[in-house]
Amino acid sequence: MMQTDCIFCKIIAGQIPCYKVLENDYALAFLDIGPISTGHTLLIPKTHVDRIDQCPPDILAQTAQVLPQLAHAVAAAVNAPAFNILCNNGSAAGQVVRHLHFHIIPRQEKDGVFTQWPAFKYPEGKADMLCQKIIENLKK
Ligand code: 5GP
Ligand code: ZN
């Protein structure tokens, strides 16, 4: 279902041009207009869904089906030995376009694309408590 104020729905409908690399009944992939690395590509479901936690599993599965081949093709096109798959969900996570999308970001050694990974250790008891909460939430 198209959402009229959604830029990605407009791309799907052909109302906004894009550099398309893949299209099937369920999904579309095209070059990101503001790449953070050469070849940066977006994969989107043709059905409008805001974010992954609102996505019916069958739509997600249909979209993700092309991801292995697409990611390989994108990386190979720019001779990248590596890539990130990124999916921002919610503005605090950096999501700007509220139509579910997967970034395929080709990577080179020491390219400086992501410079922060602020890892830390849980204090005693915290990991146990978190596990329990997540397990409870999965029952809902
Ligand atoms: P987000 O921050 O929501 O995860 O990422 C949205 C991405 O969509 C950004 O990387 C941005 O450059 C890209 N984008 C936004 N508008 C357009 C557009 O009209 N065409 C294309 N090809 N990419 C877009
Ligand atoms: Zn949309």
Side-chain angles (χ1 to χ4, degrees), residues 1-10 12 44-50 97-100:
M1 189 69 171
M2 175 161 174
Q3 191 158 300
T4 46
D5 61 347
C6 171
I7 202 148
F8 286 177
C9 282
K10 287 181 181 166
I12 292 163
I44 66 175
K46 283 191 170 173
T47 303
H48 180 94
V49 186
D50 273 22
V97 178
R98 292 177 59 178
H99 180 129
L100 174 62

mmCIF file of all heavy atoms in Angstrom, residues 1-10 12 44-50 97-100, ligand 2:
data_model
loop_
_atom_site.group_PDB
_atom_site.id
_atom_site.type_symbol
_atom_site.label_atom_id
_atom_site.label_comp_id
_atom_site.label_asym_id
_atom_site.label_seq_id
_atom_site.Cartn_x
_atom_site.Cartn_y
_atom_site.Cartn_z
ATOM 1 N N MET A 1 0.857 -1.204 0.000
ATOM 2 C CA MET A 1 0.000 0.000 0.000
ATOM 3 C C MET A 1 0.894 1.256 0.000
ATOM 4 O O MET A 1 1.809 1.367 0.797
ATOM 5 C CB MET A 1 -0.869 -0.038 1.276
ATOM 6 C CG MET A 1 -1.956 1.008 1.346
ATOM 7 S SD MET A 1 -3.258 0.691 0.147
ATOM 8 C CE MET A 1 -4.460 1.879 0.664
ATOM 9 N N MET A 2 0.628 2.166 -0.909
ATOM 10 C CA MET A 2 1.459 3.370 -1.008
ATOM 11 C C MET A 2 1.066 4.411 0.037
ATOM 12 O O MET A 2 -0.097 4.610 0.319
ATOM 13 C CB MET A 2 1.299 3.985 -2.405
ATOM 14 C CG MET A 2 2.028 5.297 -2.562
ATOM 15 S SD MET A 2 2.305 5.743 -4.262
ATOM 16 C CE MET A 2 3.008 7.374 -4.068
ATOM 17 N N GLN A 3 2.070 5.041 0.629
ATOM 18 C CA GLN A 3 1.803 6.177 1.530
ATOM 19 C C GLN A 3 2.172 7.440 0.758
ATOM 20 O O GLN A 3 3.322 7.597 0.349
ATOM 21 C CB GLN A 3 2.626 6.038 2.809
ATOM 22 C CG GLN A 3 2.216 7.019 3.875
ATOM 23 C CD GLN A 3 2.631 6.540 5.243
ATOM 24 O OE1 GLN A 3 2.214 5.478 5.694
ATOM 25 N NE2 GLN A 3 3.474 7.302 5.894
ATOM 26 N N THR A 4 1.194 8.324 0.549
ATOM 27 C CA THR A 4 1.363 9.413 -0.422
ATOM 28 C C THR A 4 2.495 10.385 -0.081
ATOM 29 O O THR A 4 3.098 10.965 -0.966
ATOM 30 C CB THR A 4 0.046 10.210 -0.585
ATOM 31 O OG1 THR A 4 -0.465 10.480 0.713
ATOM 32 C CG2 THR A 4 -0.959 9.438 -1.396
ATOM 33 N N ASP A 5 2.812 10.546 1.224
ATOM 34 C CA ASP A 5 3.861 11.500 1.594
ATOM 35 C C ASP A 5 5.222 10.819 1.781
ATOM 36 O O ASP A 5 6.137 11.418 2.338
ATOM 37 C CB ASP A 5 3.466 12.257 2.865
ATOM 38 C CG ASP A 5 3.278 11.304 4.052
ATOM 39 O OD1 ASP A 5 3.212 10.073 3.824
ATOM 40 O OD2 ASP A 5 3.206 11.792 5.187
ATOM 41 N N CYS A 6 5.347 9.590 1.286
ATOM 42 C CA CYS A 6 6.600 8.836 1.508
ATOM 43 C C CYS A 6 7.470 8.870 0.255
ATOM 44 O O CYS A 6 7.049 8.455 -0.830
ATOM 45 C CB CYS A 6 6.267 7.394 1.892
ATOM 46 S SG CYS A 6 7.722 6.324 1.932
ATOM 47 N N ILE A 7 8.683 9.346 0.420
ATOM 48 C CA ILE A 7 9.596 9.506 -0.715
ATOM 49 C C ILE A 7 9.940 8.158 -1.364
ATOM 50 O O ILE A 7 10.058 8.068 -2.598
ATOM 51 C CB ILE A 7 10.855 10.281 -0.269
ATOM 52 C CG1 ILE A 7 11.551 10.933 -1.450
ATOM 53 C CG2 ILE A 7 11.829 9.445 0.506
ATOM 54 C CD1 ILE A 7 12.236 12.216 -1.115
ATOM 55 N N PHE A 8 10.068 7.119 -0.570
ATOM 56 C CA PHE A 8 10.400 5.806 -1.142
ATOM 57 C C PHE A 8 9.193 5.199 -1.855
ATOM 58 O O PHE A 8 9.348 4.527 -2.887
ATOM 59 C CB PHE A 8 10.957 4.857 -0.080
ATOM 60 C CG PHE A 8 12.380 5.177 0.351
ATOM 61 C CD1 PHE A 8 13.009 4.452 1.359
ATOM 62 C CD2 PHE A 8 13.109 6.203 -0.251
ATOM 63 C CE1 PHE A 8 14.310 4.739 1.741
ATOM 64 C CE2 PHE A 8 14.400 6.510 0.130
ATOM 65 C CZ PHE A 8 15.009 5.769 1.135
ATOM 66 N N CYS A 9 7.989 5.436 -1.349
ATOM 67 C CA CYS A 9 6.790 4.987 -2.083
ATOM 68 C C CYS A 9 6.713 5.693 -3.438
ATOM 69 O O CYS A 9 6.312 5.096 -4.437
ATOM 70 C CB CYS A 9 5.522 5.260 -1.266
ATOM 71 S SG CYS A 9 5.233 4.057 0.049
ATOM 72 N N LYS A 10 7.131 6.968 -3.454
ATOM 73 C CA LYS A 10 7.125 7.707 -4.728
ATOM 74 C C LYS A 10 8.162 7.137 -5.693
ATOM 75 O O LYS A 10 7.940 7.100 -6.906
ATOM 76 C CB LYS A 10 7.391 9.197 -4.479
ATOM 77 C CG LYS A 10 6.196 9.894 -3.855
ATOM 78 C CD LYS A 10 6.465 11.373 -3.642
ATOM 79 C CE LYS A 10 5.253 12.014 -2.986
ATOM 80 N NZ LYS A 10 5.526 13.338 -2.459
ATOM 81 N N ILE A 12 9.075 3.965 -5.736
ATOM 82 C CA ILE A 12 8.470 2.703 -6.191
ATOM 83 C C ILE A 12 7.454 2.976 -7.302
ATOM 84 O O ILE A 12 7.393 2.270 -8.305
ATOM 85 C CB ILE A 12 7.782 1.968 -5.011
ATOM 86 C CG1 ILE A 12 8.828 1.478 -4.005
ATOM 87 C CG2 ILE A 12 6.936 0.797 -5.514
ATOM 88 C CD1 ILE A 12 8.257 1.111 -2.639
ATOM 89 N N ILE A 44 14.497 -1.889 -0.391
ATOM 90 C CA ILE A 44 13.238 -1.584 0.301
ATOM 91 C C ILE A 44 12.138 -2.555 -0.117
ATOM 92 O O ILE A 44 12.117 -3.038 -1.253
ATOM 93 C CB ILE A 44 12.774 -0.121 0.021
ATOM 94 C CG1 ILE A 44 12.405 0.082 -1.454
ATOM 95 C CG2 ILE A 44 13.836 0.871 0.443
ATOM 96 C CD1 ILE A 44 11.817 1.463 -1.761
ATOM 97 N N PRO A 45 11.203 -2.831 0.816
ATOM 98 C CA PRO A 45 10.014 -3.591 0.408
ATOM 99 C C PRO A 45 9.088 -2.673 -0.390
ATOM 100 O O PRO A 45 9.053 -1.467 -0.147
ATOM 101 C CB PRO A 45 9.361 -3.984 1.742
ATOM 102 C CG PRO A 45 9.822 -2.949 2.718
ATOM 103 C CD PRO A 45 11.176 -2.473 2.236
ATOM 104 N N LYS A 46 8.347 -3.230 -1.326
ATOM 105 C CA LYS A 46 7.399 -2.409 -2.092
ATOM 106 C C LYS A 46 6.182 -2.021 -1.259
ATOM 107 O O LYS A 46 5.493 -1.052 -1.560
ATOM 108 C CB LYS A 46 6.974 -3.140 -3.368
ATOM 109 C CG LYS A 46 8.060 -3.089 -4.443
ATOM 110 C CD LYS A 46 7.534 -3.562 -5.773
ATOM 111 C CE LYS A 46 8.546 -3.273 -6.880
ATOM 112 N NZ LYS A 46 8.138 -3.871 -8.160
ATOM 113 N N THR A 47 5.918 -2.794 -0.230
ATOM 114 C CA THR A 47 4.843 -2.445 0.700
ATOM 115 C C THR A 47 5.371 -1.421 1.692
ATOM 116 O O THR A 47 6.463 -1.603 2.234
ATOM 117 C CB THR A 47 4.401 -3.704 1.480
ATOM 118 O OG1 THR A 47 3.999 -4.699 0.543
ATOM 119 C CG2 THR A 47 3.263 -3.406 2.432
ATOM 120 N N HIS A 48 4.603 -0.362 1.928
ATOM 121 C CA HIS A 48 5.051 0.630 2.902
ATOM 122 C C HIS A 48 4.929 0.099 4.327
ATOM 123 O O HIS A 48 3.847 -0.243 4.787
ATOM 124 C CB HIS A 48 4.269 1.940 2.791
ATOM 125 C CG HIS A 48 4.748 2.944 3.805
ATOM 126 N ND1 HIS A 48 5.703 3.880 3.531
ATOM 127 C CD2 HIS A 48 4.452 3.071 5.122
ATOM 128 C CE1 HIS A 48 5.976 4.570 4.628
ATOM 129 N NE2 HIS A 48 5.219 4.098 5.616
ATOM 130 N N VAL A 49 6.058 0.046 5.001
ATOM 131 C CA VAL A 49 6.122 -0.283 6.429
ATOM 132 C C VAL A 49 7.113 0.703 7.017
ATOM 133 O O VAL A 49 8.168 0.947 6.422
ATOM 134 C CB VAL A 49 6.675 -1.714 6.650
ATOM 135 C CG1 VAL A 49 6.597 -2.088 8.114
ATOM 136 C CG2 VAL A 49 5.952 -2.737 5.815
ATOM 137 N N ASP A 50 6.789 1.310 8.137
ATOM 138 C CA ASP A 50 7.679 2.315 8.732
ATOM 139 C C ASP A 50 9.029 1.733 9.128
ATOM 140 O O ASP A 50 10.074 2.296 8.846
ATOM 141 C CB ASP A 50 7.038 2.909 9.991
ATOM 142 C CG ASP A 50 6.129 4.085 9.660
ATOM 143 O OD1 ASP A 50 5.671 4.171 8.511
ATOM 144 O OD2 ASP A 50 5.890 4.920 10.565
ATOM 145 N N VAL A 97 14.140 8.475 6.677
ATOM 146 C CA VAL A 97 13.032 8.082 5.781
ATOM 147 C C VAL A 97 12.252 6.954 6.452
ATOM 148 O O VAL A 97 12.795 5.879 6.732
ATOM 149 C CB VAL A 97 13.565 7.624 4.406
ATOM 150 C CG1 VAL A 97 12.396 7.186 3.516
ATOM 151 C CG2 VAL A 97 14.349 8.745 3.736
ATOM 152 N N ARG A 98 10.986 7.225 6.711
ATOM 153 C CA ARG A 98 10.177 6.260 7.474
ATOM 154 C C ARG A 98 9.485 5.254 6.563
ATOM 155 O O ARG A 98 8.254 5.141 6.549
ATOM 156 C CB ARG A 98 9.198 7.015 8.365
ATOM 157 C CG ARG A 98 9.936 7.766 9.474
ATOM 158 C CD ARG A 98 9.024 8.575 10.335
ATOM 159 N NE ARG A 98 8.008 7.736 10.982
ATOM 160 C CZ ARG A 98 7.098 8.191 11.825
ATOM 161 N NH1 ARG A 98 7.063 9.476 12.135
ATOM 162 N NH2 ARG A 98 6.217 7.384 12.358
ATOM 163 N N HIS A 99 10.291 4.612 5.762
ATOM 164 C CA HIS A 99 9.885 3.457 4.948
ATOM 165 C C HIS A 99 11.034 2.484 5.129
ATOM 166 O O HIS A 99 12.183 2.807 4.772
ATOM 167 C CB HIS A 99 9.698 3.874 3.485
ATOM 168 C CG HIS A 99 9.273 2.772 2.550
ATOM 169 N ND1 HIS A 99 8.199 2.885 1.687
ATOM 170 C CD2 HIS A 99 9.803 1.551 2.321
ATOM 171 C CE1 HIS A 99 8.081 1.773 0.976
ATOM 172 N NE2 HIS A 99 9.044 0.941 1.341
ATOM 173 N N LEU A 100 10.746 1.320 5.687
ATOM 174 C CA LEU A 100 11.794 0.337 5.994
ATOM 175 C C LEU A 100 12.808 0.209 4.849
ATOM 176 O O LEU A 100 12.419 0.071 3.691
ATOM 177 C CB LEU A 100 11.139 -1.029 6.253
ATOM 178 C CG LEU A 100 12.073 -2.219 6.452
ATOM 179 C CD1 LEU A 100 12.956 -2.031 7.678
ATOM 180 C CD2 LEU A 100 11.256 -3.506 6.562
HETATM 181 ZN ZN ZN B 2 6.691 4.304 1.765
#
